[in-house]
Structure formats: C-alpha cells, structure tokens
Amino acid sequence: MSITIRQAEPHDAHAVVPLIIDAIGEIANRLTGEKSAEAVIQELTILFQRDDNRHSYLNTFVATEGEQILGILVYYHGAQAVHMDANLVKWLEAKNATSIVIDQEAHEDEAYIDTVCVAPEARGKGIGTLLLQFAEELTKQRGYTKLSLNVETQKEDARRLYERLGFVITEPWSIIDEPFHHMVKQF
C-alpha cells in the first residue's frame, strides 16, 4: 500500500465531507445549521469548498492511494480559528440558523487537529497514524511548538493512541456541551 498525503482540493468534497461527518457527528449539524442528513452534507460541501472556515479544503489534507481518498486531516492554528469561526457565525446568521454558537476548540498558541477520520474500508492499516505524524511534521515545519486535539472522554482507544504518539491530557474541554479531553504534544 502506497499512501500519499496531499492538500485537499474543492472537488474532493464528495469523499471528504462524509468523513468529516463520520468524525464529528452532531457537531456537523451545529456547524451547518441543518438537521437532515442531506442538508448537512449539502451545506458542509459548501463550507468545504469555501476558503474562510475551519472545514475549508485549505485546512484539509487527504491520505490517498492512487485516486482514492482513504483518510482526512483537518488542521489549522488556534489563532486562525477565531477569524474562521467569526466567518462561520456570519454565514449561519445569514441562513437564520437556530444555533450559532461555535465553541472554541484550541488555544490560540496551538496548532490544532480538528478532525481525523479514516474511511471504514481502510481502518486498521495505520492511515490515521500517518495523518497524525503528518500533522506533527507540519507543526514543526511551520515553527509551532504545540500541537493539540480533543478526544471524547469515552473514546478510550483513541486516547490511548494519542498518548502512544506523545500527546498528554492537559485539561477537560467541552464542545456542544459534551465532555472531551484536550490533549497537547509539545515540541
């Protein structure tokens, strides 16, 4: 298996958006202001193809084998999130969305792994680890000293993987009123 990781492109939405939804679940409803699965997919596709929000193709990297997208990484710096989330709130307000609260997910001095997801048929092959290692390298290349992520408190297998990769739980976190561990790796 020869996996490559590249910057996502707008036309990758068909493969990327379902993986984002798989990873973030109901948070996708909040980010799009939609309830039905079809509407969430449609609106998240619009957000992915834009350049001004956290789930933009510009913040997304894809793990591929040939032309097939097997996994995704959504990655940005915490300081960028403030501006991106303000854009998202404006977009939601223009849509008259019912919930326009966007929870902060990282500190402003951290590079942040927002989303990692591997396609179901490709799980267990080390692709998630490759994406996390790619995020580490990107963090170092960009001169950042901290890389963070949040993991739901009940996802113990994921937490153990992150700990094996050098992440440490630094504090409790809450996203849409759900409990998470905020984990950081320092360089």
Side-chain angles (χ1 to χ4, degrees), residues 86-141:
N87 291 335
L88 186 55
V89 166
K90 284 182 204 165
W91 181 74
L92 288 166
E93 286 173 344
K95 291 177 47 162
N96 293 316
T98 55
S99 176
I100 55 170
V101 175
I102 307 299
D103 293 322
Q104 179 182 350
E105 294 188 22
H107 294 292
E108 290 187 31
D109 66 340
E110 300 169 340
Y112 180 61
I113 297 171
D114 182 296
T115 309
V116 173
C117 189
V118 175
E121 68 275 12
R123 291 181 182 156
K125 298 179 181 178
I127 296 168
T129 300
L130 286 174
L131 287 163
L132 293 166
Q133 291 168 338
F134 178 83
E136 289 181 24
E137 289 306 311
L138 204 52
T139 300
K140 292 174 189 175
Q141 288 171 11

Side-chain angles (χ1 to χ4, degrees), residues 32-83:
T32 60
E34 299 295 338
K35 290 183 176 44
S36 76
E38 300 81 23
V40 169
I41 290 168
Q42 180 180 353
E43 297 300 295
L44 196 53
T45 297
I46 290 168
L47 288 173
F48 176 77
Q49 293 175 336
R50 290 175 51 156
D51 63 4
D52 65 349
N53 66 90
R54 62 169 72 181
H55 283 99
S56 167
Y57 70 96
L58 293 175
N59 300 320
T60 305
F61 298 87
V62 293
T64 62
E65 183 174 40
E67 295 297 312
Q68 185 179 9
I69 293 175
L70 301 176
I72 62 161
L73 167 74
V74 178
Y75 167 97
Y76 49 83
H77 196 273
Q80 295 173 300
V82 175
H83 178 69

